[in-house]
């Protein structure tokens, strides 16, 4: 690591009586990737907003390259060379890559009257080549993958000659292959002397690319440690200040309960190919696979969100036709989408409305909504699921990701669904909230709910699931009992079993499927 770029010491910040930061210290060196971790609400974003000039500190000092730094606004931070790439990408989709990189700073000709598009594209191409990126400067941003858009954000920051780059959850929406591309880009930035602040909930990433880790909790900086000298368990312990939940029933549990959901020969174009499986009462069936394996497509088909070409669905032994989400809910199936803000909740409405939205018929009389029963149901959800909210009248957008997730789960519990499909239930939430969601799912299974859980995090699959259904390119390649000896490596072998290999190893796969039901 090189010279000291940033030193923040004794940083204090209060908002309307809330003590958000308490004497915090953070350091960053050139050529360093320094992780900043903590639960939602720990103070990470507030610290970085002070460093980027969005907020002003109440007390404390900031030094940049050894000199006191005054950061009254974002322009002042950018002028020093401090940039931030937010989790929600800040690009104009209908503009080209070059136009996004130099927006508001476009080169001009004829005395500034006309834009110089040739020079604009040439400058952008030089920056893209500098990062070894195969992206055309004149392509529309809307035509790029999320990973490529992420790269454009990085190049945009480089165009400001940024010496400090803050990345907020940069891999949240990326596939494994795209994450590799991002890590290569981070390596190039590090080699050029850029200091990177890396905010992430994904612990495995920290060990791979970060030099140091600073842990925050409840507005305080708990400690800064060298990555190579610590463990994930120690980091998590510092973050949450309490023991994380581990399911005692995931491994080795015998399942003799009735089958509540059975799928036979489900097909939908190239996305779903002859998918069959069973889900039993009180069981958590984990569904694993790589991006594009067809897991979400299966979930949407079961919920009636997408039509199927063929196949049969049985609910509690009875063949059903699910033509729409309304039909699915009527059959006792609830679905928590991987994109909760788009499909799972009404972020501008309050907690009580979100809890009741799938059960309005239950809470209405002669087209009038009954206020008291809705409020009682919402209070029951907040209490039983331990939702952290000032009241049931709070807008959902003001809750953390983990608490939003709990409200959506509460919506389906209020509807009394026996079959729950959770697609990436802990995506984008912190490690402490994950622990609470794990405990909740295990408790629901203990109450007899049947749960199909899709997750891209294999430790999560192994931690919670009684059985693991593995998919690759639209096909089920294995149905494995989660017993001692089942590992991430075994699951990945089946998750990468492409169709051309699938036929040649059919006997082995059938044997794996058979083991899942023994």
């Amino acid at each position: 690591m090189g010279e000291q770029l940033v030193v923040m010491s004794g940083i204090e910040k209060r908002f309307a009586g809330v003590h958000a930061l308490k004497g915090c210290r953070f350091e960053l060196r050139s050529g360093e990737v320094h992780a900043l971790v903590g639960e939602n609400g720990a103070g990470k974003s507030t610290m970085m907003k002070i460093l980027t000039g969005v907020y002003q500190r109440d007390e404390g000092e900031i030094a940049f390259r050894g000199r006191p730094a005054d950061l009254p606004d974002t322009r002042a931070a950018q002028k020093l060379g401090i940039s931030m790439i937010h989790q929600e990408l800040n690009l104009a989709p209908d503009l080209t890559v070059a136009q996004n990189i130099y927006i508001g700073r476009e080169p001009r000709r004829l005395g500034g009257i006309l834009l110089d598009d040739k020079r604009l594209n040439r400058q952008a191409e030089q920056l893209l080549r500098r990062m070894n990126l195969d992206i055309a400067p004149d392509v529309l941003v809307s035509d790029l993958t999320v990973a490529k858009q992420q790269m454009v954000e990085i190049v945009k920051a480089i165009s400001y000659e940024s010496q400090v780059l803050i990345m907020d959850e940069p891999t949240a929406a990326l596939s494994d292959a795209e994450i590799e591309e991002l890590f290569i880009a981070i390596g190039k930035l590090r080699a050029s002397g850029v200091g990177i602040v890396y905010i992430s909930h994904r612990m495995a990433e920290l060990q791979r690319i970060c030099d140091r880790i600073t842990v925050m909790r409840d507005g305080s900086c708990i400690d800064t440690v060298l990555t190579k000298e610590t463990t994930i368990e120690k980091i998590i312990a510092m973050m949450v200040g309490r023991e994380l939940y581990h399911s005692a029933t995931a491994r080795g549990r015998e399942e003799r309960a009735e089958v509540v959901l059975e799928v036979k020969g489900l097909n939908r174009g190239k996305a779903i190919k002859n998918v069959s499986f069973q889900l039993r009462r009180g069981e958590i069936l984990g569904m694993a696979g790589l991006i594009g394996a067809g897991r979400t497509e299966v979930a949407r088909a079961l919920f009636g969100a997408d039509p199927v070409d063929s196949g049969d669905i049985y609910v509690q032994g009875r063949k059903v036709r699910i033509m729409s989400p309304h039909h699915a809910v009527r059959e006792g199936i609830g679905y928590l989408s991987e994109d909760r803000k788009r499909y799972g909740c009404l972020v501008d409405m309050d907690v009580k409305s979100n809890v009741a939205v799938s059960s309005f018929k239950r809470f209405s009389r002669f087209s009038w909504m009954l206020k008291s029963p809705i409020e009682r149901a919402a209070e029951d959800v907040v209490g039983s699921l331990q939702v952290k909210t000032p009241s049931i009248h709070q807008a959902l957008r003001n809750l953390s990701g983990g608490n939003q997730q709990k409200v959506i789960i509460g919506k389906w519990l209020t509807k009394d669904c026996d079959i729950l499909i959770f697609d990436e239930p802990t995506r984008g939430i912190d490690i402490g909230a994950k622990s609470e969601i794990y405990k909740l799912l295990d408790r629901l299974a203990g109450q007899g709910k049947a749960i199909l859980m899709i997750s891209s995090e294999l430790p999560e699959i192994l931690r919670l699931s009684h059985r693991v259904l593995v998919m690759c390119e639209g096909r089920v390649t294995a149905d494995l009992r989660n017993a001692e000896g089942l590992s991430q490596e075994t699951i990945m072998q089946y998750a990468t079993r492409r169709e051309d290999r699938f036929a040649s190893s059919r006997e082995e796969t059938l044997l794996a499927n058979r083991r899942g039901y023994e």
Side-chain angles (χ1 to χ4, degrees):
M1 292 181 286
E3 65 173 313
Q4 207 127 37
L5 286 177
V6 173
V7 177
M8 304 176 73
S9 56
I11 303 297
E12 297 271 343
K13 185 65 181 176
R14 292 176 174 83
F15 297 99
V18 176
H19 203 169
L21 295 178
K22 308 165 187 174
C24 291
R25 181 179 179 86
F26 181 78
E27 300 176 356
L28 179 68
R29 295 179 177 274
S30 64
E32 174 188 28
V33 180
H34 192 147
L36 185 62
V37 301
E39 295 188 78
N40 290 340
K44 307 185 301 293
S45 295
T46 303
M47 276 276 284
M48 292 302 102
K49 285 180 179 179
I50 287 175
L51 183 57
T52 54
V54 176
Y55 296 155
Q56 280 65 56
R57 62 194 183 277
D58 295 332
E59 296 178 35
E61 297 178 351
I62 300 176
F64 186 80
R65 291 193 179 276
R67 296 182 178 180
D70 185 25
L71 303 171
D73 51 37
T74 55
R75 186 180 293 273
Q78 209 164 55
K79 191 174 180 180
L80 276 181
I82 302 171
S83 297
M84 183 168 183
I85 299 174
H86 298 272
Q87 185 174 354
E88 304 292 337
L89 297 180
N90 190 27
L91 297 173
D94 295 324
L95 297 182
T96 68
V97 169
Q99 289 166 343
N100 269 279
I101 291 172
Y102 288 103
I103 191 166
R105 304 173 292 142
E106 300 88 348
R108 295 178 178 270
R109 56 191 177 91
L110 295 180
I113 298 175
L114 300 177
L115 295 178
D116 191 341
D117 287 331
K118 287 185 178 180
R119 188 175 156 206
L120 175 73
N121 288 333
R122 188 167 60 249
Q123 289 180 184
E125 188 173 21
Q126 289 173 351
L127 284 173
L128 292 163
R129 282 181 179 175
R130 178 175 156 190
M131 293 297 295
N132 288 340
L133 296 176
D134 185 22
I135 303 175
D138 57 353
V139 70
L140 291 178
V141 162
S142 59
D143 293 334
L144 299 176
T145 65
V146 174
K148 296 295 185 187
Q149 291 181 26
Q150 191 88 266
M151 301 302 180
V152 172
E153 284 274 30
I154 292 173
V155 171
K156 183 177 178 180
I158 292 172
S159 73
Y160 286 97
E161 298 300 325
S162 295
Q163 300 171 63
V164 174
L165 187 58
I166 303 162
M167 294 185 173
D168 187 4
E169 294 288 349
T171 63
L174 304 187
S175 68
D176 289 344
E178 291 170 334
I179 290 172
E180 290 299 324
E181 291 182 37
L182 177 65
F183 286 174
I184 290 170
I186 289 174
K188 293 182 184 300
L189 292 170
R190 171 194 259 157
S192 68
V194 174
I196 298 172
V197 182
Y198 194 88
I199 302 173
S200 178
H201 293 311
R202 297 184 173 185
M203 297 292 104
E205 293 178 0
L206 308 186
Q207 287 192 316
R208 182 171 173 189
I209 66 167
C210 297
D211 302 295
R212 289 190 290 170
I213 301 172
T214 291
V215 182
M216 296 191 69
R217 186 174 76 234
D218 298 331
S220 299
C221 289
I222 303 302
D223 199 2
T224 297
V225 295
L226 291 173
T227 308
K228 63 184 179 182
E229 295 179 0
T230 192
T231 64
I232 291 177
E233 289 73 18
K234 288 181 180 179
I235 296 298
I236 293 174
M238 285 191 284
M239 284 172 58
V240 301
R242 61 185 184 275
E243 185 178 349
L244 290 182
Y245 178 75
H246 291 269
S247 172
T249 61
R251 290 185 181 271
R253 173 170 163 173
E254 293 290 339
E255 285 298 335
R256 302 299 180 192
E258 66 174 310
V259 174
V260 294
L261 175 68
E262 184 170 11
V263 178
K264 293 183 177 180
L266 203 66
N267 289 280
R268 181 173 184 269
K270 295 181 179 180
I272 306 174
K273 304 173 186 176
N274 196 31
V275 168
S276 301
F277 64 90
Q278 293 180 333
L279 176 63
R280 299 175 183 272
R281 186 175 301 281
E283 178 183 41
I284 300 177
L285 175 60
M287 185 175 278
L290 302 176
I291 300 293
R295 299 166 303 163
T296 294
E297 288 79 1
V298 169
R300 287 178 58 84
L302 293 176
F303 194 62
D306 294 328
V308 298
D309 300 331
S310 61
D312 297 320
I313 300 172
Y314 296 82
V315 175
Q316 296 183 350
R318 180 172 49 86
K319 187 176 178 179
V320 298
R321 291 189 67 197
I322 298 177
M323 308 298 291
S324 70
H326 174 72
H327 292 153
V329 173
R330 190 175 61 194
E331 297 296 341
I333 301 175
Y335 175 50
L336 189 151
S337 168
E338 63 177 334
D339 189 345
R340 64 175 175 266
K341 291 185 178 179
R342 186 176 180 185
Y343 298 118
C345 60
L346 306 168
V347 293
D348 291 320
M349 297 187 73
D350 58 20
V351 171
K352 74 176 190 305
S353 299
N354 275 275
V355 166
V357 71
S358 293
S359 310
F360 275 156
K361 187 177 290 187
R362 169 185 164 188
F363 295 118
S364 64
R365 292 291 183 274
F366 308 110
S367 300
W368 287 91
M369 300 308 299
L370 304 177
K371 182 179 177 182
S372 294
I374 290 176
E375 291 183 344
R376 282 198 299 271
E379 292 287 4
D380 286 344
V381 165
V382 168
S384 62
L385 304 189
Q386 298 179 332
V387 179
K388 295 176 183 176
T389 177
S391 77
I392 60 173
H393 307 288
Q394 178 71 266
L396 205 68
R397 70 164 58 256
N398 295 329
L399 271 58
S400 70
N403 286 297
Q404 289 178 1
Q405 204 79 308
K406 288 182 183 180
V407 171
I408 300 169
I409 294 171
K411 171 181 70 175
W412 296 121
L413 296 182
T414 301
K415 185 63 180 175
D416 198 25
C417 292
D418 289 323
I419 301 167
L420 298 169
I421 304 171
F422 293 150
D423 194 349
E424 302 288 0
T426 64
R427 173 172 288 173
I429 64 178
D430 63 64
I431 194 74
K434 280 186 180 184
S435 182
E436 294 178 10
I437 295 294
Y438 295 160
K439 186 185 297 184
L440 174 58
L441 264 61
D442 205 34
R443 190 167 81 235
L444 292 174
Q447 293 170 359
K449 303 295 183 184
I451 298 173
L452 176 63
M453 182 189 73
I454 300 170
S455 178
S456 297
E457 297 188 30
L458 293 184
E460 186 167 271
I461 289 282
L462 291 171
R463 174 178 286 186
L464 284 178
S465 305
H466 304 122
R467 282 188 299 126
V468 180
L469 201 71
V470 189
M471 293 190 66
C472 179
E473 295 184 341
R475 282 183 161 82
V476 173
T477 54
D479 188 339
L480 307 168
R481 183 179 169 191
N482 191 3
E484 292 296 337
L486 182 59
S487 65
Q488 296 184 43
E489 290 74 16
T490 301
I491 293 174
M492 283 302 297
Q493 286 176 8
Y494 289 108
T496 55
R497 182 154 292 177
R498 301 170 62 88
E499 185 174 356
D500 53 350
R501 297 174 55 201
F502 183 78
S504 65
S505 57
R506 188 175 301 277
E507 289 185 7
E508 183 182 347
T509 302
L510 288 173
L511 179 61
N513 291 349
R514 195 176 300 120
R515 283 199 298 266
Y517 291 102
E518 290 176 353

